[in-house]
Amino acid sequence: MREDVASLDIRDVTANWVNAAVLQSQIDDRIKALADLAHTPLFFGRLDFLHAPGAEQAEGGEGEQFYIGRRHVHDADGDPMVIDWRAPVSQPFYRASKKDPQDVGLRRRFGYTGGDLTAYEDEHLTDPGEAEQVSKLLQQEIERPRVGPMRDIVATIQPEQDEIVRGGLAGSVCVQGGPGTGKTAVGLHRVAYLLYAHRERLARTGTLVIGPNRSFLHYIEQVLPALGELEVRQATVADLVAHVEVRGTDDPAAALVKGDARMAEVLRGALRSYITMPREGIVVVRGSRRWRVPVYDLEEIVEELLARDMRYGAAREALPQRIAHAVLVQMERSGEAPDDRVQDAVARNAAVKAAVKAIWPPVDPAKLVLRLLSDAEFLAAHAGGILDEAEQKAVLWERPGRGVKSAKWSAADAVLIDEASDLVSRTHSLGHVVLDEAQDLSPMQYRAVGRRCTTGSATVLGDLAQGTTPWATRSWDEALAHLGKADAVVEELTAGFRVPREVIAYASRLLPVIAPGLAEVGSVREAPGSLSVRRVASSGLTEAVVGACVASLSQEGSIGLIAADARVPELARALDAAGLGCLSPGEETTPDVRLTLVPASLAKGLEYDYVVLDEPAAVVSGEPDERTGLRRLYVALTRAVSGLTVLHSASLPPALASTEHNG
């Protein structure tokens, strides 16, 4: 298929060089999409239908057989050999069961090792004599060692995941899922499905995946290209609002207020304060004639624009045209017959331009935010009745910046500037946005994301128990309202596939403290001996951690050493002294270097076959408050796929300290 595309001769089918360049670009993209992936088979399943799909299911009808794979594959004659996993005919591979066989007589799963077909497994869904059982190949695929970036899960998608993946484009969905439930993979595969089902529409409007940090995006960046989808943009919230260089940080109190949705109301009032009602009329001179627009007519025009609640910039552009229209009405009454060119000329008249500048001056969003955060009187004038005095004091800069470029903007300030920018001119909206690790966003950050999909839909992914910011989401209903998707359907994934049952049960002891009422994840995987919790003397903690890393490296797969951020430099030196090379989060593991040193603040969303967790008490105390610290610890405890070793010298949090686990 790739060779066929590469051999296309477009010289005789293009009218000019522009068409030729566009067509060649499309051909190049197609060749990239058809790239071979090492050790990735073309198919992973087979469906034997009792009857041809779509045909009448009468007695004696002939069935049909389909191979299911990551990509559509056809032979030299164009006949399909492998069906894309996203095609409607592939759906029973994920949803058919003994109770609902969906006309499937046999479902076959194929097992591969290093790209070679090594096993297969059959389920006869309509055979009453065959008992339903858990697929061993499915279990092996889930437990396969994780070396390198995140991979696709098309061979292991579960029925409840498939329902979310194949949801329609028009509706937004929020997926609450505990550790190991596959919510990130579900979100990415939903994008791939939507691009398959609505390719033309999304090609025009665009798609975007938003992750919590660069390490996370690097970890997931190969999933969609592996499925042949190359046009999906990936970014962090910081990337979206990068109007200024972020060089400063806020204390928690300031960040909490700046992230509050009430700041949108403060900004709106501050922006409108720049509008001044006219104090005198306008005289427009055209040739020998003078046309006067009285002050009461100007006031009526301004009030009408304000009442329409337009964007500040759009209303400013409309104002000279409205004034010009008032002049044209007078011209017509006097017997003239002006056209659109005359109206445009009047709108550009010096007197009209001067009036517009005085009434509705241009406003730079960054300068507006700078003034709010620097000028106590200006802030009080527009935050009065919205923010109390303590909140106003919290957001005011102690040392105001002299200008936009010299100011030490924080991440929260950049979000405020983005809000102000949207008040001035509308933000471009995309067809679909996936927001991962959403529980950590502030209301103002939700608004920033929501602006990117006002005319499109969204897939929101997160876990309320893993919220590790002071402004972490308290409920999905509240978050979705800020996002502008209050009608989104909330789905909950409670079946865990990644984290062993022993590990997730241990971590879940924290749930009553960090997220009361949230359902505990029930892991489908038992792994006796997968959890070890050991106390060591404080003087020997670092040495014990290095020893645990050495022991873990004797196993197959990736190793993550997770520690409080403040402990990372000391552990890095100890690993180096022991001759153990290590990577930073997001860097790709290799057969030679499989150990990654992970600051606890960057662990979210990542996974490793074996995890060594250093000093839980330090992870908790590294956060501004205990609940946030315990949530950070919950994240760290749930990154392991095969085994977790916890080493501590200080006392464990009470919820975890009831018993020691050794394995």
Side-chain angles (χ1 to χ4, degrees):
M1 290 170 65
R2 191 172 61 250
E3 288 169 358
D4 286 347
V5 177
S7 65
L8 289 174
D9 187 348
I10 62 173
R11 288 175 294 182
D12 296 331
V13 296
T14 53
N16 52 55
W17 70 270
V18 176
N19 289 349
V22 171
L23 190 54
Q24 187 59 53
S25 174
Q26 292 174 341
I27 288 173
D28 292 343
D29 286 345
R30 177 65 174 159
I31 291 171
K32 286 180 187 175
L34 289 171
D36 280 328
L37 298 174
H39 310 310
T40 301
L42 289 177
F43 61 89
F44 52 80
R46 194 182 95 188
L47 289 175
D48 290 6
F49 286 92
L50 299 176
H51 310 84
E56 290 293 327
Q57 296 186 12
E59 288 291 331
E62 287 190 12
E64 198 164 352
Q65 184 182 94
F66 296 95
Y67 285 87
I68 312 299
R70 287 164 175 77
R71 307 294 311 282
H72 165 79
V73 182
H74 62 247
D75 62 17
D77 297 322
D79 295 326
M81 299 176 69
V82 179
I83 305 299
D84 193 302
W85 66 276
R86 299 168 286 189
V89 76
S90 301
Q91 185 170 312
F93 184 79
Y94 302 108
R95 298 201 194 177
S97 65
K98 281 279 188 179
K99 293 180 180 178
D100 180 20
Q102 299 187 20
D103 200 44
V104 174
L106 179 144
R107 172 167 56 200
R108 174 169 289 178
R109 299 181 189 275
F110 295 97
Y112 292 85
T113 303
D116 295 327
L117 178 61
T118 53
Y120 69 88
E121 188 178 73
D122 288 347
E123 295 173 86
H124 298 87
L125 299 180
T126 54
D127 182 356
E130 183 179 291
E132 191 164 14
Q133 55 188 349
V134 177
S135 166
K136 291 183 179 179
L137 285 179
L138 193 66
Q139 191 91 355
Q140 289 170 7
E141 175 63 22
I142 291 171
E143 295 176 357
R144 185 155 55 92
R146 280 144 170 77
V147 176
M150 185 180 186
R151 56 178 183 258
D152 67 73
I153 61 162
V154 289
T156 63
I157 292 173
Q158 300 299 293
E160 65 271 23
Q161 296 174 328
D162 190 65
E163 286 186 26
I164 297 169
V165 166
R166 294 178 194 266
L169 176 61
S172 293
V173 63
C174 173
V175 183
Q176 158 65 40
T181 54
K183 57 185 177 296
T184 296
V186 166
L188 294 175
H189 287 69
R190 176 162 160 75
V191 172
Y193 172 78
L194 292 175
L195 285 166
Y196 174 89
H198 308 277
R199 190 166 300 281
E200 287 189 12
R201 179 175 172 184
L202 289 177
R204 293 194 311 271
T205 56
T207 50
L208 171 68
V209 174
I210 302 172
N213 52 58
R214 280 278 142 207
S215 297
F216 179 84
L217 291 179
H218 186 72
Y219 177 60
I220 68 168
E221 66 184 357
Q222 294 304 318
V223 174
L224 290 168
L227 301 173
E229 303 300 346
L230 306 172
E231 301 301 319
V232 180
R233 182 185 162 207
Q234 297 182 359
T236 64
V237 173
D239 295 331
L240 300 182
V241 301
H243 304 283
V244 291
E245 183 183 357
V246 174
R247 297 186 295 125
T249 55
D250 288 315
D251 61 55
L256 201 60
V257 178
K258 289 179 181 180
D260 194 298
R262 292 174 297 163
M263 286 301 297
E265 191 178 346
V266 174
L267 285 165
R268 183 182 178 83
L271 180 61
R272 287 213 164 194
S273 72
Y274 283 79
I275 302 168
T276 304
M277 294 302 288
R279 297 173 183 171
E280 56 185 20
I282 301 174
V283 177
V284 177
V285 178
R286 281 188 60 80
S288 60
R289 303 293 299 270
R290 298 164 70 87
W291 307 97
R292 180 177 178 80
V293 181
V295 66
Y296 55 81
D297 278 353
L298 290 177
E299 287 177 349
E300 187 176 328
I301 291 170
V302 172
E303 286 172 354
E304 184 185 348
L305 288 174
L306 286 170
R308 290 180 62 186
D309 200 27
M310 300 168 65
R311 292 293 195 284
Y312 185 95
R316 187 175 187 278
E317 290 176 3
L319 180 57
Q321 290 292 333
R322 300 300 299 274
I323 295 172
H325 177 72
V327 172
L328 260 66
V329 169
Q330 294 183 40
M331 289 181 176
E332 289 170 348
R333 287 173 180 167
S334 68
E336 295 189 21
D339 56 18
D340 290 346
R341 289 174 297 176
V342 175
Q343 179 166 332
D344 288 340
V346 173
R348 295 193 301 269
N349 180 274
V352 174
K353 290 168 73 174
V356 169
K357 187 176 182 180
I359 297 168
W360 214 295
V363 175
D364 177 84
K367 289 181 179 178
L368 173 67
V369 175
L370 180 68
R371 185 179 176 190
L372 264 179
L373 301 180
S374 306
D375 186 335
E377 289 186 7
F378 186 67
L379 177 63
H382 303 293
I386 302 172
L387 304 179
D388 61 33
E389 289 186 13
E391 289 172 323
Q392 292 178 39
K393 186 177 180 181
V395 300
L396 274 172
W397 286 340
E398 291 183 8
R399 298 179 180 178
R402 294 183 178 180
V404 170
K405 290 186 177 180
S406 62
K408 288 189 175 181
W409 299 105
S410 69
D413 297 335
V415 178
L416 294 178
I417 294 171
D418 190 71
E419 179 82 29
S421 297
D422 186 70
L423 290 170
V424 173
S425 58
R426 186 182 298 277
T427 304
H428 174 66
S429 177
L430 299 164
H432 192 77
V433 171
V434 175
L435 174 61
D436 205 354
E437 300 295 350
Q439 72 279 345
D440 274 341
L441 268 61
S442 69
M444 290 298 285
Q445 287 175 317
Y446 277 117
R447 291 175 62 87
V449 173
R451 287 191 281 277
R452 272 75 187 177
C453 55
T454 51
T455 58
S457 53
T459 299
V460 181
L461 312 166
D463 179 11
L464 296 178
Q466 295 186 59
T468 51
T469 56
W471 49 84
T473 302
R474 288 175 291 188
S475 77
W476 289 124
D477 287 344
E478 182 181 320
L480 292 168
H482 292 311
L483 193 69
K485 303 294 180 185
D487 57 347
V489 176
V490 180
E491 303 279 2
E492 188 168 7
L493 296 175
T494 56
F497 303 98
R498 171 171 56 80
V499 186
R501 188 176 300 172
E502 295 77 5
V503 174
I504 195 66
Y506 182 66
S508 295
R509 295 182 186 182
L510 296 171
L511 285 179
V513 181
I514 62 176
L518 203 63
E520 182 177 333
V521 171
S523 179
V524 301
R525 297 177 52 224
E526 277 193 66
S530 58
L531 175 65
S532 172
V533 182
R534 291 189 284 125
R535 186 165 194 166
V536 297
S538 58
S539 59
L541 177 61
T542 299
E543 183 181 351
V545 167
V546 172
C549 290
V550 172
S552 297
L553 285 166
S554 66
Q555 307 284 343
E556 187 181 2
S558 59
I559 316 299
L561 168 54
I562 304 177
D565 293 32
R567 285 271 294 159
V568 167
E570 179 182 339
L571 291 172
R573 289 191 295 270
L575 292 173
D576 184 57
L580 295 180
C582 65
L583 304 167
S584 297
E587 291 183 338
E588 193 168 327
T589 53
T590 67
D592 297 325
V593 185
R594 296 183 288 121
L595 173 63
T596 303
L597 177 55
V598 187
S601 61
L602 296 181
K604 194 169 297 177
L606 304 179
E607 58 183 29
Y608 302 92
D609 288 291
Y610 294 89
V611 167
V612 177
L613 177 58
D614 169 83
E615 195 62 281
V619 174
V620 176
S621 63
E623 299 298 327
D625 60 85
E626 186 181 34
R627 192 187 73 159
T628 302
L630 289 173
R631 285 182 167 186
R632 184 76 73 189
L633 178 58
Y634 180 75
V635 172
L637 286 167
T638 53
R639 300 302 96 200
V641 176
S642 297
L644 170 67
T645 300
V646 180
L647 295 168
H648 66 104
S649 59
S651 297
L652 291 171
L656 299 179
S658 56
T659 58
E660 295 272 311
H661 289 252
N662 293 286

